[in-house]
Amino acid sequence: MKSQATMICYLMLFLVTEYSCYASKIHIKDGDKLQRPEGKPKTGRIQEKCHGPCITSSNCSQLCAQHFRGEIGFVCNQNKWQKSTETCTSLSVETLFESYSKVANHVLDTAAISNWAFIPYKNASSDLLQSVNFFARQLHIHTESENIVDELFIQTKGFHINHNTTQKSFNFSMSMSNSTESILGIIEIPKEELWNLPPNTSQAISIAFPTLGAILKEAHSHNVSLPRPVNGLVLSVILPERLKQILLTFEKINKSRNARAQCVGWHSRKRKWDESVCKTTLDVRNKVKCRCNYTNVVMSFSILMSPKSIDNKVLDYITCIGLSISILSLILCLIIEATVWSRVVVTEISYMRHVCIVNIAVSLLIANVWFIIASNFNKKPQDYNWCVAVTFLSHFFYLSLFFWMLFKALLIMYGILVIFRRMIKSRLMVIGFAIGYGCPLIISVTTVAITMPRKGYVRPDACWLNWDNSKALLAFVIPALVIVAVNLVVVLVVAFNTQRPSIGSSKSQDVAIIMRISKNVAILTPLLGLTWGFGIATLIEGTSLIFHIIFALLNAFQGFFILLFGTIMDHKIRDALRMRMSSLKGRSRVAENASLSPTNGSKLMNR
């Protein structure tokens, strides 16, 4: 690791040195002379001045001497030729660029990517990209088409173009590592753009980086969200100034159907991805096509990925309206439970059943509140810890909802199978809270402990469990799947056992058994996994939009389902609620009659 870090330092020193050397050789003021030590031969100049008439402010250039590359520029000043620039060197730019690219290839190796985190200078990756682009601008293409550099982690190609050239393209195929499949990238110069070129020959150069996107750090401003992952090659292009637009095709690294792509260009001065310079013309599962504007400050392009759910206004409306109804339903459910509590918890089984209903409603209510907070959370870099906290609480209470559903199903099965044994309320309470809140707490804390060191707990674009990097979402999906499976088994066991005839059964008892099975199925089905069964289906590639709509409906209306199937459709709760209302009406009548009694009437007359 030390050798790689040292190599990075050498590279950065090399970049600065090269840039300084080149900058010192240009834009020399008129009349300045290049200073050299006495006795040393002059660099490969052919002559001190240009041939031909010297007209004020005119320019000319001469090639350097044999074995030297570059040129000497002259400007006419007071009818005399004076040197203005000199770039003579014994090494060709192409040779320097090849050596330079080998160093860049080494520091961009996947084995060295992790070492970039130890570089305190956060703009190092941006400087690397800018210096490569700057260096490539000095290259000269000698043949019709050239593969200038062909390394694993940096490739450079170039070709000649002119006014009559048909549509030209650069094609790259590079791997993220030695063991992964190649990722494709294409840069096309439209024919209508080539028509803007002059008749004489120009050149186009392009550079591709498969791993640079992983380390390219943006200079964040206050309105920029968390770091956005690059999901394709980073492609740079050096074009004549008259060319303003290019077409790009990127193969996606992450080919998730729900991952939306954004075509972007790297603004070298702002040191950030600029979405305004590109337009996404095609976004399918495997590839993205972009139309981008090329300028001297935006020469590098790629695609950013936002693993969001399908962007559909119908889903947004369903979720917004459904969550509002769900929260109101849950509040009403808790009010009803508090009103009829003393009348319905007459046995141990009924007591624990209503404890489950209350905790299910509380868990879902709190989870919905945190979901709304997370959806509207301002995901700035400085808010990362708050985003983690919101995600943790959402994760915990959604898990609590599932585990209380599990305990309720197990309680129903236990009440049916163990009918000759009296249940101990205190023991069931301990078991219920251990399952309902203890298990979710263990899972949530473990997930944070494992994923936080790598900052893989939350998604880069939303306050919810990460999937692409750390698979933290499995800490919710796996418990949900297991509980759904267990509850389905419970429903089957309940149905089988309640259908068996018992001693002293009669026709009315058979009807009661059928009604009990129907009630159990009606309550358990929406609460024990139907909603999240569709939710898990939406994670499968190629899932139809209808699955997303069904999941949004069921998820948003879970609170209403709890109120309907767990409270309103329970005839004992309805009876207790009617008795409670009758009792309140009776008290109000007694109070009204008392206020109209003769004693009170005489007092009013005396007044």
Side-chain angles (χ1 to χ4, degrees), residues 378-394:
N378 194 8
K379 299 175 290 298
K380 298 178 183 177
Q382 60 266 31
D383 294 333
Y384 177 78
N385 292 332
W386 285 106
C387 187
V388 170
V390 171
T391 303
F392 174 83
L393 292 171
S394 300

Side-chain angles (χ1 to χ4, degrees), residues 7-304:
M7 183 63 71
I8 293 175
C9 295
Y10 287 155
L11 173 63
M12 301 311 302
L13 178 61
F14 179 74
L15 301 181
V16 174
T17 303
E18 284 296 319
Y19 180 82
S20 301
C21 290
Y22 180 83
S24 65
K25 294 179 181 179
I26 60 176
H27 301 302
I28 301 176
K29 295 182 180 180
D30 294 343
D32 287 352
K33 295 184 179 180
L34 298 177
Q35 300 295 325
R36 292 184 181 85
E38 292 295 332
K40 287 195 176 181
K42 298 179 180 179
T43 56
R45 300 195 303 271
I46 294 178
Q47 55 189 11
E48 292 288 343
K49 61 182 180 180
C50 290
H51 292 293
C54 180
I55 302 174
T56 303
S57 300
S58 61
N59 298 285
C60 80
S61 61
Q62 295 288 335
L63 294 176
C64 298
Q66 189 178 6
H67 306 303
F68 287 86
R69 296 178 181 270
E71 63 182 16
I72 305 172
F74 296 89
V75 63
C76 183
N77 184 27
Q78 297 179 354
N79 298 324
K80 293 182 180 180
W81 289 111
Q82 294 182 348
K83 289 179 294 183
S84 59
T85 61
E86 181 177 350
T87 60
C88 298
T89 177
S90 59
L91 292 176
S92 67
V93 176
E94 290 74 19
T95 302
L96 288 172
F97 186 77
E98 290 176 6
S99 303
Y100 176 88
S101 298
K102 290 182 182 297
V103 179
N105 180 72
H106 183 78
V107 298
L108 291 174
D109 193 312
T110 50
I113 289 297
S114 59
N115 295 324
W116 284 82
F118 299 99
I119 299 178
Y121 181 57
K122 299 304 180 183
N123 293 330
S125 56
S126 175
D127 286 348
L128 173 61
L129 175 60
Q130 189 172 352
S131 62
V132 171
N133 292 342
F134 175 82
F135 208 154
R137 187 183 290 275
Q138 317 308 318
L139 298 176
H140 295 281
I141 307 301
H142 301 289
T143 60
E144 183 65 23
S145 178
E146 292 185 17
N147 287 327
I148 303 170
V149 173
D150 188 11
E151 301 288 345
L152 283 176
F153 303 104
I154 178 172
Q155 290 183 5
T156 306
K157 298 180 180 181
F159 50 65
H160 287 151
I161 52 176
N162 57 45
H163 178 80
N164 298 319
T165 305
T166 58
Q167 181 168 315
K168 300 285 287 186
S169 63
F170 295 99
N171 294 272
F172 295 96
S173 177
M174 306 181 73
S175 299
M176 302 299 293
S177 64
N178 294 331
S179 60
T180 59
E181 296 181 358
S182 296
I183 302 296
L184 303 179
I186 302 173
I187 301 176
E188 299 176 71
I189 306 175
K191 187 174 183 180
E192 55 270 21
E193 285 290 314
L194 292 170
W195 288 343
N196 297 325
L197 291 176
N200 57 307
T201 301
S202 304
Q203 65 179 26
I205 298 173
S206 183
I207 312 145
F209 309 88
T211 58
L212 181 60
I215 59 173
L216 200 54
K217 302 297 183 182
E218 292 187 84
H220 292 288
S221 59
H222 293 293
N223 59 347
V224 176
S225 60
L226 294 174
R228 299 171 288 180
V230 174
N231 201 45
L233 299 178
V234 175
L235 299 178
S236 294
V237 62
I238 313 298
L239 299 175
E241 291 184 359
R242 294 192 181 186
L243 300 185
K244 302 298 182 183
Q245 273 199 344
I246 56 174
L247 305 176
L248 301 108
T249 302
F250 296 95
E251 182 181 356
K252 296 180 180 178
I253 299 172
N254 171 21
K255 297 178 175 61
S256 172
R257 186 183 61 83
N258 290 338
R260 300 174 57 211
Q262 176 66 57
C263 299
V264 290
W266 181 261
H267 198 292
S268 58
R269 292 178 183 171
K270 297 179 180 178
R271 298 181 185 271
K272 60 183 292 187
W273 292 111
D274 189 351
E275 300 175 3
S276 65
V277 300
C278 290
K279 179 182 178 181
T280 304
T281 58
L282 177 68
D283 184 2
V284 294
R285 178 180 176 183
N286 295 327
K287 65 181 180 180
V288 178
K289 288 191 174 183
C290 314
R291 179 180 290 272
C292 298
N293 297 324
Y294 169 83
T295 66
N296 287 332
V297 294
V298 181
M299 297 185 292
S300 303
F301 307 89
S302 190
I303 52 173
L304 303 181

Side-chain angles (χ1 to χ4, degrees), residues 333-509:
C333 176
L334 293 174
I335 292 174
I336 293 175
E337 285 290 334
T339 303
V340 303
W341 183 265
S342 60
R343 296 179 182 273
V344 295
V345 291
V346 293
T347 65
E348 285 80 2
I349 296 178
S350 63
Y351 181 87
M352 292 306 304
R353 177 178 178 274
H354 286 279
V355 168
C356 289
I357 292 176
V358 169
N359 282 280
I360 287 172
V362 170
S363 297
L364 183 56
L365 177 62
I366 299 176
N368 283 342
V369 171
W370 283 115
F371 178 83
I372 293 173
I373 294 174
S375 299
N376 296 278
F377 205 75
N378 194 8
K379 299 175 290 298
K380 298 178 183 177
Q382 60 266 31
D383 294 333
Y384 177 78
N385 292 332
W386 285 106
C387 187
V388 170
V390 171
T391 303
F392 174 83
L393 292 171
S394 300
H395 184 203
F396 171 74
F397 282 106
Y398 274 124
L399 283 177
S400 297
L401 165 68
F402 269 91
F403 278 94
W404 275 108
M405 290 177 179
L406 172 65
F407 179 70
K408 182 179 179 182
L410 296 176
L411 181 67
I412 294 172
M413 186 179 69
Y414 183 77
I416 293 175
L417 298 181
V418 192
I419 57 177
F420 298 110
R421 181 179 177 183
R422 185 177 178 84
M423 293 186 178
I424 302 174
K425 185 190 300 184
S426 60
R427 181 179 299 175
L428 288 175
M429 287 287 287
V430 172
I431 295 174
F433 277 84
I435 293 176
Y437 294 117
C439 293
L441 183 62
I442 293 173
I443 295 173
S444 301
V445 171
T446 303
T447 305
V448 173
I450 293 175
T451 59
M452 271 297 289
R454 296 176 294 167
K455 291 188 177 294
Y457 183 61
V458 298
R459 295 183 178 185
D461 67 323
C463 293
W464 183 235
L465 298 172
N466 189 294
W467 172 253
D468 294 319
N469 299 327
S470 64
K471 300 295 186 290
L473 186 60
L474 291 176
F476 176 73
V477 172
I478 291 178
L481 282 173
V482 172
I483 291 175
V484 168
V486 170
N487 286 333
L488 290 176
V489 173
V490 168
V491 171
L492 294 176
V493 172
V494 169
F496 175 76
N497 281 274
T498 52
Q499 285 179 339
R500 293 188 304 176
S502 57
I503 299 175
S505 63
S506 61
K507 185 72 175 177
S508 60
Q509 287 178 328

